[in-house]
Amino acid sequence: MKEKKKVLILGATGSIGASTLDIIRTNRDLFDIAGISAHTDARGIELISDEFSVTNTCLSGFHGQHALLDFIRTTNADIVVNGIAGSNGMMPSFAALESGKDLALANKETIVMAGPLVRELAKKTGHAILPVDSEHSAVFNLVQSVGRESVAEIILTASGGPFRTWENDRLKNVKPEDALKHPTWSMGAKITIDSASLANKGLEVIEACRLFDIHPDKVKVVVHPQSFVHSLVRTTDGVLYAQISRPDMRHPILSALTWPEFTQNTLEILDFTDPLSLHFEPPRYADFPLLGLAYRAAALGAKYPIAYNASNEEAVAAFLAGKVSFPALSHITAAVLDNDWSREPETVEEILETDSLARQQARAVIETL
C-alpha cells in the first residue's frame, strides 16, 4: 500500500486550513496530519487536534514567529500547506523549503515579496513550490499540459468583487462591511478587501510574472463573475486553454497535495445537466487603480512589488479601522510607489527592511488623510 503523505498545515483555523482539513477528512487513506498551526485561535486548534488526534501544534501569536519557524523545521512532514495571510507568511515558506519539504503555497506574498530568492531556494533544495491560489494552480496545471515554451500569454480571471457593477461615484462611500461581502468566495478580511479593490488580482499578476517567468505585458486579467474558469493560457498558435471547475478551494489544494498525480475524489463536479452561461468583461482600471499599480510594480521589479504589498496591507488595515476611505487604498499605495525602490534585494533581511520602510511611508501618508 502506498505510504500516506504527511501534511503540515499553517493557518489551520483559517479558510485555507479548513478546506485542507476537509480534503484530509475525506482522504484519510492518502494523508496524515503532521502538525497544525494558528495565530491565536487556541480553541480552533483544540477542536482540530481532538478530531484528527494531532499533538504537534503551534500558536504563533502567543509564542512568536521564531517558535513557528522552529516548529516548521522540526516537524517531520512531506509537504507544508502555507495558509497564513499576508506578509507574515513569507518566512514560514522559506523554513518549509529549507527543511526539506514541498510547499503548497496559498500565501501569495511569499512570491510577491521574495519570488526570485524563494524560487532559487526551491531549486537548490530540489523541492516543489505548488501554487494553491485557484488562478495560479490553474495556470500551473495548464503550463504543465501545454509546455512552457508553447505559452504566449497567461490570462487570470477575476470575479470583479462586490463592486463590479457600481458606478465610480458610489465607491467613495464604500464601508468595510460592504467590501467584506464577496459574491463568490469565503475568505479572510484582508483578502476580501483586496478582492473588492482588485489589489488581490494585482498581487496575483505580480505572482504570475514571478512564478512563471513571464513579462507583465503577457499577463492579462479578465473579469469573470461566475468564477468557473479559474484561468487560461494562450498558446503560440493563438488558441486558448482553460481550467474549469466549481469555485471551491478544495480543488487546487487537492491538486497541490497529490501532484504530480490526479486522484479520484468526492468533490462536486461541474456538469452541463443545467443551463450554464459564462460571462467575461474587461477590468475597470480607472475605477480600481490598484490593479494598474500592480502592473507598474511588476514591470519595475526590484523592490517595487515589496512596496506595493506593504503599503496596501497598511492601507487595508486603516480602511478596516475606519481611518481612510475606500478610494484612499490606491492613493496610499501610489504615494509609496512614487519613491525609489529600484535596488534589487539580495537577502531576506533586505526584503524585510524594505517591507518595514514601505510600511512607515504608508503610515505617514495615512496620517495626512
Side-chain angles (χ1 to χ4, degrees):
M1 191 174 82
K2 190 173 180 179
E3 190 173 343
K4 293 182 183 181
K5 187 173 286 190
K6 297 184 287 293
V7 183
L8 173 58
I9 308 171
L10 308 181
T13 60
S15 60
I16 292 294
S19 293
T20 304
L21 289 168
D22 197 56
I23 288 293
I24 294 173
R25 184 178 290 115
T26 54
N27 294 276
R28 292 179 186 259
D29 58 324
L30 298 179
F31 308 112
D32 274 333
I33 298 178
I36 53 175
S37 84
H39 191 55
T40 57
D41 188 358
R43 179 57 179 160
I45 287 292
E46 182 182 351
L47 290 171
I48 297 166
S49 298
D50 288 346
E51 179 183 356
F52 292 93
S53 301
V54 181
T55 57
N56 188 33
T57 67
C58 179
L59 285 166
S60 59
F62 299 126
H63 302 294
Q65 190 175 66
H66 286 297
L68 175 62
L69 299 182
D70 286 341
F71 171 73
I72 296 166
R73 295 185 184 109
T74 58
T75 296
N76 179 21
D78 300 304
I79 188 167
V80 176
V81 177
N82 187 349
I84 297 173
S87 56
N88 287 335
M90 184 187 75
M91 292 305 296
S93 293
F94 277 95
L97 292 168
E98 286 167 351
S99 58
K101 303 169 180 69
D102 289 335
L103 177 61
L105 187 60
N107 177 266
K108 60 178 64 66
E109 289 81 2
T110 293
I111 301 298
V112 170
M113 296 172 67
L117 291 183
V118 77
R119 289 189 63 206
E120 182 182 334
L121 177 61
K123 184 177 180 181
K124 179 181 176 181
T125 61
H127 287 279
I129 299 173
L130 303 162
V132 168
D133 267 349
S134 64
E135 297 83 357
H136 299 88
S137 174
V139 173
F140 178 84
N141 283 290
L142 290 166
V143 169
Q144 295 278 318
S145 297
V146 305
R148 177 64 188 86
E149 69 285 351
S150 300
V151 176
E153 195 173 70
I154 289 171
I155 301 171
L156 303 175
T157 53
S159 70
F163 310 131
R164 179 178 66 87
T165 61
W166 284 35
E167 297 295 328
N168 179 272
D169 286 347
R170 292 182 67 192
L171 295 176
K172 63 178 179 289
N173 297 317
V174 164
K175 299 291 188 291
E177 53 268 29
D178 301 321
L180 288 170
K181 296 173 184 175
H182 196 279
T184 307
W185 299 97
S186 175
M187 306 172 291
K190 196 269 179 181
I191 191 172
T192 304
I193 300 299
D194 281 350
S195 294
S197 69
L198 294 194
N200 186 58
K201 203 53 51 180
L203 290 167
E204 290 177 0
V205 167
I206 299 171
E207 185 181 7
C209 294
R210 294 187 151 198
L211 266 179
F212 303 111
D213 286 324
I214 191 166
H215 192 274
D217 288 348
K218 301 296 184 183
V219 179
K220 311 297 185 189
V221 172
V222 63
V223 173
H224 167 53
Q226 293 87 4
S227 298
F228 288 132
V229 178
H230 298 288
S231 278
L232 309 93
V233 297
R234 192 187 307 277
T235 48
T236 50
D237 59 358
V239 174
L240 286 171
Y241 293 84
Q243 188 188 71
I244 306 174
S245 66
R246 292 189 177 278
D248 185 337
M249 284 304 300
R250 292 175 298 174
H251 283 293
I253 291 168
L254 180 63
S255 177
L257 290 179
T258 60
W259 183 85
E261 299 175 359
F262 294 97
T263 303
Q264 288 188 340
N265 60 78
T266 59
L267 297 177
E268 186 179 5
I269 63 170
L270 177 63
D271 62 27
F272 302 98
T273 53
D274 294 316
L276 177 66
S277 297
L278 301 179
H279 174 78
F280 301 91
E281 63 187 50
R284 292 159 50 196
Y285 286 93
D287 295 332
F288 300 95
L290 279 160
L291 181 55
L293 289 171
Y295 272 101
R296 178 186 169 197
L300 291 169
K303 296 179 179 178
Y304 282 91
I306 304 171
Y308 177 91
N309 178 71
S311 55
N312 177 63
E313 281 194 10
E314 292 295 322
V316 169
F319 173 67
L320 285 170
K323 295 179 180 178
V324 300
S325 68
F326 186 75
L329 296 173
S330 58
H331 173 80
I332 295 161
T333 304
V336 174
L337 286 181
D338 280 342
N339 295 304
D340 183 7
W341 306 98
S342 59
R343 176 184 165 88
E344 191 72 42
E346 297 179 358
T347 64
V348 172
E349 290 72 25
E350 193 174 352
I351 290 170
L352 293 173
E353 289 169 4
T354 303
D355 177 76
S356 178
L357 178 59
R359 289 176 189 278
Q360 291 175 28
Q361 294 183 1
R363 288 193 288 268
V365 176
I366 290 166
E367 289 300 317
T368 69
L369 298 178

